[in-house]
Amino acid sequence: MKGQDIKEAGLKVTLPRLHVLEFLEAHQGQHFTADELFTQIRATVSDIGLATIYRVLSQFEAAGLVVKHQFDNGHAVYELDTGEHHDHMVDIDTGEVKEFFSKKLEELQEQLADEYGYELIDHNMVLYVKKK
Amino acid sequence: MKGQDIKEAGLKVTLPRLHVLEFLEAHQGQHFTADELFTQIRATVSDIGLATIYRVLSQFEAAGLVVKHQFDNGHAVYELDTGEHHDHMVDIDTGEVKEFFSKKLEELQEQLADEYGYELIDHNMVLYVKKK
DNA sequence: GTGGGTGCAAATAATTTGCACGGTA
DNA sequence: TACCGTGCAAATTATTTGCACCCAC
């Protein structure tokens, strides 16, 4: 049952929270803005507020249920946190987002931070690409 | 003379444009938000509008005189485009931004895009780090 | 029952735009 | 003198917050 994850995050199990979580689970691997989530969920639920979506998303992000990404186009997108880290490639023609993971890349980043005397905490990396 | 670059960009050489360009040249390697530029430049010029700063910055960006970066904290920062590409490391404790370049990293990115059947057009990569 | 959670509308924050005036070529 | 460029204020967009009501525990 989905309520489990919410409860474990120390949050009360409420309808809006369930709806957001269910929607994201039903669309794993896809990315949504708060507004997209609002519109899509409202299509079936009718009484949910955009503000609540924002509130729920930040709570989920803090709880590690959800990951937030800020692409260059301005607004933030959210996706379910599957526990497996990955980076993103955005097709600048179609806007399509592809997830990928490269061990080599992760290691290189650690190495670079280290080289400058830092410890790597997090990173944000987006490749803007175009179909060949 | 600085006006040269502006003229070459196909823009009329005006006071606000000169001021922004001069300020950025006087502070190379540093990053500023539109508002910071506004406040700092206004300190010596007095009649310049924030809207103009935004307009000038987008024009400069389009002309390749300036590079815009979107860090995770929300607002965009600008810096002079020296022609040498580099990425950024942000110290999450101090907010300090350090520039770095790694040939290996650039190559790896090309390689990854290629692997997925894409051509790499641009990328955005920020390492969030902490002093050891 | 009661305190956290919610919807709505109003408030922010960053950025953009409309418009009449001013300065550059 | 042409028009582009500017300052200012109002408009937009994404997100946050205040507040009275509601629901999970």
Side-chain angles (χ1 to χ4, degrees):
Chain A
M1 186 229 189
K2 330 259 159 130
Q4 211 49 39
D5 303 326
I6 299 178
K7 203 170 290 172
E8 278 165 15
L11 298 168
K12 216 181 259 186
V13 180
T14 64
L15 252 18
R17 286 180 183 148
L18 275 173
H19 287 137
V20 170
L21 192 54
E22 275 168 9
F23 185 90
L24 288 176
E25 283 182 344
H27 298 82
Q28 264 192 237
Q30 286 183 256
H31 308 72
F32 302 92
T33 63
D35 202 66
E36 281 164 357
L37 285 171
F38 173 59
T39 310
Q40 305 234 26
I41 292 177
R42 169 159 267 206
T44 55
V45 179
S46 80
D47 80 319
I48 189 167
L50 176 55
T52 300
I53 301 278
Y54 276 107
R55 276 184 289 234
V56 169
L57 286 173
S58 341
Q59 292 157 350
F60 282 5
E61 194 200 356
L65 290 174
V66 143
V67 192
K68 177 184 187 177
H69 300 287
Q70 190 94 38
F71 295 152
D72 265 2
N73 52 79
H75 43 254
V77 292
Y78 298 83
E79 67 174 314
L80 208 59
D81 188 350
T82 60
E84 290 146 36
H85 166 73
H86 57 252
D87 291 307
H88 296 94
M89 237 174 247
V90 180
D91 184 320
I92 56 176
D93 290 323
T94 65
E96 199 190 337
V97 177
K98 193 152 258 157
E99 308 188 335
F100 73 91
F101 176 81
S102 159
K103 184 133 192 268
K104 234 194 229 168
L105 183 63
E106 304 294 318
E107 287 168 357
L108 185 50
Q109 291 176 121
E110 292 274 6
Q111 220 177 93
L112 283 165
D114 189 72
E115 218 167 274
Y116 286 79
Y118 289 106
E119 180 190 356
L120 183 62
I121 304 302
D122 193 10
H123 73 242
N124 176 347
M125 126 140 237
V126 183
L127 302 183
Y128 296 93
V129 300
K130 186 179 249 195
K131 272 230 175 58
K132 276 210 213 134
Chain B
M1 190 229 187
K2 329 259 159 132
Q4 212 48 40
D5 303 324
I6 299 178
K7 203 169 290 174
E8 278 166 16
L11 297 167
K12 216 180 258 184
V13 180
T14 64
L15 252 18
R17 289 181 181 148
L18 274 172
H19 287 136
V20 170
L21 191 55
E22 275 168 8
F23 185 90
L24 289 176
E25 283 182 343
H27 298 82
Q28 263 192 237
Q30 286 183 255
H31 307 73
F32 303 92
T33 63
D35 202 68
E36 281 164 357
L37 285 171
F38 173 59
T39 310
Q40 304 234 27
I41 292 176
R42 170 160 267 208
T44 55
V45 178
S46 80
D47 81 321
I48 190 168
L50 176 55
T52 299
I53 300 278
Y54 276 107
R55 277 185 288 236
V56 169
L57 286 173
S58 342
Q59 292 157 350
F60 281 6
E61 194 201 357
L65 290 175
V66 143
V67 192
K68 176 184 188 176
H69 300 287
Q70 190 94 37
F71 295 150
D72 265 2
N73 52 78
H75 42 255
V77 292
Y78 298 82
E79 67 174 312
L80 208 59
D81 187 351
T82 60
E84 290 146 35
H85 166 74
H86 57 251
D87 290 307
H88 297 96
M89 235 174 247
V90 180
D91 185 320
I92 56 176
D93 291 324
T94 65
E96 199 189 338
V97 178
K98 193 152 260 161
E99 308 187 336
F100 73 92
F101 175 81
S102 158
K103 185 132 192 271
K104 236 195 231 165
L105 182 63
E106 305 294 320
E107 287 169 355
L108 185 51
Q109 291 177 122
E110 293 274 6
Q111 220 176 92
L112 283 165
D114 189 72
E115 218 167 274
Y116 286 79
Y118 288 107
E119 179 191 356
L120 185 62
I121 303 301
D122 194 11
H123 73 241
N124 175 349
M125 128 138 237
V126 183
L127 302 182
Y128 295 93
V129 300
K130 186 179 251 195
K131 273 232 175 56
K132 276 213 215 130

